[in-house]
Amino acid sequence: MNPQVPAVSQDVGDKLWAQKREARKSKRRDRTAVQSKLLINSLMDAFTIILCFLLKSFGSDPVQIRESDDLKLPRSTSENPLLDAVVIGISTKSIQVDDQKVADLRNGAVDESMKRDGQEGLMINPLYDALKEKVQHLKMISARTGTQFKGTTLVVAHNATSFRLITEVLYTAGQAEFEDFKFVAAEGGEGAD
Amino acid sequence: MAMKRRKLAAYEGDPLIPILNLVCMLIPLLLYGAVFVRFMTLTVNAPKISSAPSQQQPEQLENLNLTVMITDQGFHFKVNPKHRLPWMAQATDTASAGADIPKKDDGWDFDEFNRKLKEIKQNHREELNIILGAEDDIKYEVLIKAMDYSRGTDVEPLFPVVTLTRGVV
């Protein structure tokens, strides 16, 4: 038994089939369009969150300190935050005042030619000159704004810096009229229980 | 015509792309400038530097005058002789005295240092000052650690006012 399908109904069937196929295609197209829009939206959400986090971490401290191979700060349990002051940086290679190099270091020490009293001396001449200049500048600002010159300095030193060099820097800063010294350390040291 | 319609549709569908581009450029820029480590400060008084022995005031003669020297041998404690504890070296100069807390194989014994400071603090509740000194080649991180232990904790503060002294006395 072979049922005869009329030619008209076959045409209708083909048309219906074509319409169905078209509908399926357009549905698929729409779905792809919606999906891509959703992807971009979630990506934007993620980026916005990252952006907010980075904006918060950027420049929240009054002083920007960047650790490197030459400047690894010791860890401390102190909870005193950073404050705006003149920064004396001591890396493995040089001494800087507010990011301006003032003296080179050789084997972690200042060359005796840069010291006022030779090898055993404590005063580092180029550091003294740079700090004295800063003091004059800060005093001028204090006089104009009617505030008091505090003489605060932040010492940002590499963790392997010798105590001798620290003493030399503090002594020189003291001679240049700085009297409030603050050592900078990274958070997370081990302290007393 | 169909291509034009497609282009138009694509343009209408992605108005966020320029913002996304901007954000993509901002992220590396901010990543470069971001600081993920918090930095703290430790206040320290200027080093006492004098070649001659200083003239002590009468009240200073009664004070504890706690001084700790960090040397390659360990920690050396010095106090006013009136307040000296039995475990402290009797010698007047650090060079001839052995360390009160000798170094261990893995470095300075900070736990014992902490215990000794607590013991001293028990008898001198009002005292806040400590003088820290070190040999020339002692590393800065050892000094910072000693300062942390000297300060104690918020619950149990020990000697938070730290003064540095030059060299070993």
Side-chain angles (χ1 to χ4, degrees):
Chain A
M1 289 284 282
N2 193 11
Q4 288 284 314
V5 182
V8 180
S9 72
Q10 200 170 1
D11 281 352
V12 172
D14 283 351
K15 269 187 183 173
L16 274 173
W17 178 248
Q19 276 175 359
K20 253 185 160 177
R21 202 168 52 187
E22 189 57 36
R24 258 199 309 252
K25 262 187 181 175
S26 87
K27 205 174 170 183
R28 209 163 31 224
R29 242 197 329 263
D30 286 351
R31 205 188 311 148
T32 332
V34 167
Q35 255 180 1
S36 70
K37 202 171 178 187
L38 270 179
L39 270 175
I40 281 203
N41 276 344
S42 45
L43 203 63
M44 274 305 291
D45 288 348
F47 276 175
T48 309
I49 293 166
I50 294 170
L51 204 63
C52 289
F53 171 73
L54 290 176
L55 275 171
K56 194 191 157 288
S57 345
F58 186 83
S60 55
D61 285 329
V63 178
Q64 289 298 310
I65 296 164
R66 196 175 301 282
E67 284 190 288
S68 63
D69 288 343
D70 295 327
L71 183 64
K72 281 197 167 62
L73 298 192
R75 271 32 188 170
S76 168
T77 54
S78 172
E79 288 175 357
N80 299 330
L82 283 179
L83 68 169
D84 197 9
V86 174
V87 178
I88 304 176
I90 309 171
S91 69
T92 52
K93 291 178 181 164
S94 63
I95 299 175
Q96 313 99 38
V97 174
D98 281 346
D99 285 338
Q100 297 289 316
K101 189 170 87 172
V102 293
D104 284 313
L105 296 177
R106 202 187 303 153
N107 298 326
V110 177
D111 192 79
E112 63 179 301
S113 63
M114 291 184 189
K115 289 190 190 173
R116 190 180 64 185
D117 305 317
Q119 186 63 43
E120 289 304 308
L122 292 168
M123 174 83 95
I124 304 165
N125 291 329
L127 177 62
Y128 175 79
D129 295 341
L131 289 176
K132 203 70 194 165
E133 202 177 303
K134 288 278 171 197
V135 167
Q136 280 167 0
H137 180 68
L138 289 172
K139 276 186 172 174
M140 192 179 70
I141 292 172
S142 299
R144 285 188 183 172
T145 55
T147 52
Q148 200 190 349
F149 169 69
K150 289 177 187 161
T152 306
T153 181
L154 296 175
V155 178
V156 182
H158 183 67
N159 58 17
T161 307
S162 67
F163 183 73
R164 166 81 194 190
L165 184 59
I166 296 284
T167 316
E168 287 173 5
V169 168
L170 293 187
Y171 176 80
T172 307
Q175 295 298 306
E177 294 182 61
F178 283 99
E179 49 192 32
D180 182 14
F181 301 105
K182 294 188 188 300
F183 288 154
V184 178
E187 187 186 40
E190 49 175 283
D193 349 297
Chain B
M1 189 69 181
M3 194 187 275
K4 198 175 176 185
R5 206 166 40 235
R6 255 204 313 275
K7 268 186 183 173
L8 210 65
Y11 178 72
E12 281 171 357
D14 306 317
L16 291 174
I17 283 180
I19 304 171
L20 207 63
N21 289 342
L22 185 73
V23 171
C24 282
M25 285 164 76
L26 273 175
I27 285 177
L29 187 82
L30 289 172
L31 264 176
Y32 180 74
V35 176
F36 298 105
V37 182
R38 283 179 70 204
F39 295 105
M40 301 299 168
T41 59
L42 298 95
T43 305
V44 63
N45 293 323
K48 286 179 177 174
I49 295 159
S50 65
S51 50
S54 59
Q55 201 79 327
Q56 288 193 318
Q57 300 296 318
E59 65 269 18
Q60 278 184 306
L61 294 171
E62 292 302 315
N63 284 349
L64 175 66
N65 295 335
L66 173 61
T67 306
V68 177
M69 288 292 151
I70 309 167
T71 68
D72 204 30
Q73 299 170 331
F75 293 105
H76 303 253
F77 284 74
K78 290 201 177 299
V79 291
N80 185 335
K82 288 180 182 173
H83 304 291
R84 191 178 281 158
L85 291 169
W87 50 264
M88 289 179 188
Q90 299 295 310
T92 49
D93 64 315
T94 308
S96 62
D100 295 312
I101 304 173
K103 251 175 102 172
K104 291 198 298 189
D105 295 338
D106 55 344
W108 285 269
D109 190 352
F110 282 97
D111 292 330
E112 187 60 21
F113 176 62
N114 190 30
R115 270 193 290 276
K116 297 290 189 200
L117 287 177
K118 281 179 181 172
E119 191 183 329
I120 297 168
K121 185 73 179 179
Q122 274 177 355
N123 302 324
H124 305 274
R125 291 270 168 213
E126 302 300 313
E127 185 64 56
L128 299 173
N129 296 289
I130 185 168
I131 300 167
L132 285 179
E135 282 180 332
D136 282 351
D137 55 350
I138 297 296
K139 287 180 181 174
Y140 177 58
E141 62 182 345
V142 178
L143 180 73
I144 293 288
K145 208 169 171 183
M147 285 173 73
D148 277 347
Y149 277 91
S150 304
R151 196 175 54 249
T153 59
D154 291 341
V155 185
E156 195 182 5
L158 294 172
F159 304 98
V161 183
V162 178
T163 304
L164 290 188
T165 186
R166 158 86 178 89
V168 176
V169 290

